Amino acid sequence: MTTERLIDDERTYLMGTYRRLPVTLTEGRGAVVRDDQGREYVDLVGGIAVNVLGHGHPALTRAISEQAQRLIHASNLYYTLPAVELARHLVGLAFPGRAFFVNSGAEANETAIKLARKWGKVHRGGAFEIICALGSFHGRTLGALAATGQDHYSAPFTPLPPGFVHVPYGDIEALRLATGERTVAVMLEPIMGEIGVVTPPQGYLEAVRGWCDQQGLLLILDEIQTGMGRTGRWWCHQHHGIVPDVMTVAKGLAGGIPIGACLAAPGADVLEPGDHGSTFGGGPLACAAALAVLGAIEAEGLVGHAAEMGELLAAGLRELPGVREVRGRGLMQAVEFERPLARDLQLRCLEHGVIVNATGDSTVRLVPPLVITPEQLEEGLRGMRRALVG
Ligand SMILES: Cc1ncc(COP(=O)(O)O)c(C=O)c1O
């Protein structure tokens, strides 16, 4: 079927919520994907920070296949091994605490929001308000959307659940002023990804941690995009020497199989039987896949590799023509151009065998698989340059 025909059929049978690029992807290996015409692309987007092991990684495909033959789903009425092993492994990589598994980033954040609200009832006299950042992105469900600091995503769906206030990202004074008796938590991304990889000013996250400690608030960090080693540490907050009370993870956790997790430190862990649940959350297939991802990241030293490749990527991006700013950490980078060429560039990059992601009129985001090689990065950067000058 041609891409034109597919686009036609999609219009007939799928709700029109996505603006897709005009390409039909059919397979991939490592950081390279192939379309239905057999053309290859260096994948600098990795399914939006999801395919951390790239495409077709043998450890991941083997784990999925073996678990699928054993037990795909059982429900949360029973014990299953992969969920417990995954929770143990994740907690070991993050901080002492316990996990709750879901199926997406939005659901992981819903869990964090519900947990914070209950914590407020138990420990803070019914406080329920969560301070979030303007420009943040936490997902599309109503609670996560209310936390998200971008009105254009929520405007068609108001009224939103109450109990969320938004302050400028990086402004500790604004956060202090927004804190009151009703405040229960602060919820932030350590780097704001979706809006274009906005990094916090030096000392900001440390100051937020200090403020939460002083005021008795929970610090919830949304590491859905920044986690899994992408920034050159397992979790981005580790660059700052702080530990959150609650952390949400999703995207790359199972390398492309849907999963999300909410981790809570003992002092924040207030959910009890009946408080929360999920039919698919913590299922053996997704958890076995996630265990394979964690294992491969460790075995192949991909966290350090992400840091090294990130340096290469940032340096290469800085040398492209017409660049105003390159920002990010590790393999989470954005390049802001002087002119609003990003959307056009995204299309032109396809013609030159590279996949990039425009997050704004002049901003392009690069969140490639952690397994990307220096040669593939160079090839991707060459393609971007050709797309810019050609
Ligand atoms: C930081 C952050 N939080 C939450 C989400 C929502 O995740 P999902 O689309 O899996 O619901 C995203 C997705 O882009 C994200 O980047």
Side-chain angles (χ1 to χ4, degrees), residues 93-111:
L93 291 169
F95 48 85
R98 295 195 295 182
F100 183 87
F101 291 121
V102 289
N103 316 288
S104 67
E107 284 174 87
N109 285 334
E110 291 292 338
T111 307

Side-chain angles (χ1 to χ4, degrees), residues 23-29 32-42 55 355:
V23 62
T24 304
L25 299 179
T26 52
E27 58 192 296
R29 272 288 169 279
V32 174
V33 282
R34 193 177 290 178
D35 70 12
D36 57 346
Q37 307 299 307
R39 273 189 306 243
E40 290 196 340
Y41 306 84
V42 178
H55 305 275
I355 294 192

Side-chain angles (χ1 to χ4, degrees), residues 48 104-107 109 137-140 189 194 222 224-225 250-251 365:
I48 321 185
S104 67
E107 284 174 87
N109 285 334
F137 186 83
H138 297 294
R140 307 288 195 143
E189 294 161 81
E194 196 267 351
D222 176 341
I224 287 163
Q225 195 163 147
K251 283 203 180 279
R365 169 175 54 172

Side-chain angles (χ1 to χ4, degrees), residues 23-155:
V23 62
T24 304
L25 299 179
T26 52
E27 58 192 296
R29 272 288 169 279
V32 174
V33 282
R34 193 177 290 178
D35 70 12
D36 57 346
Q37 307 299 307
R39 273 189 306 243
E40 290 196 340
Y41 306 84
V42 178
D43 183 2
L44 296 184
V45 178
I48 321 185
V50 167
N51 302 103
V52 288
L53 298 186
H55 305 275
H57 192 289
L60 179 56
T61 53
R62 196 181 322 116
I64 293 169
S65 151
E66 284 177 7
Q67 186 60 47
Q69 290 172 58
R70 225 174 285 131
L71 186 73
I72 292 179
H73 176 78
S75 93
N76 281 308
L77 294 173
Y78 317 103
Y79 293 95
T80 51
L81 185 61
V84 181
E85 282 193 347
L86 178 60
R88 190 208 316 271
H89 203 141
L90 268 180
V91 163
L93 291 169
F95 48 85
R98 295 195 295 182
F100 183 87
F101 291 121
V102 289
N103 316 288
S104 67
E107 284 174 87
N109 285 334
E110 291 292 338
T111 307
I113 292 163
K114 286 180 73 174
L115 183 146
R117 286 192 170 191
K118 180 163 183 202
W119 189 86
K121 285 197 200 306
V122 176
H123 292 295
R124 218 176 132 81
F128 60 92
E129 210 163 70
I130 301 180
I131 303 177
C132 307
L134 289 166
S136 62
F137 186 83
H138 297 294
R140 307 288 195 143
T141 52
L142 281 178
L145 202 53
T148 292
Q150 301 185 59
D151 284 349
H152 63 105
Y153 284 128
S154 50

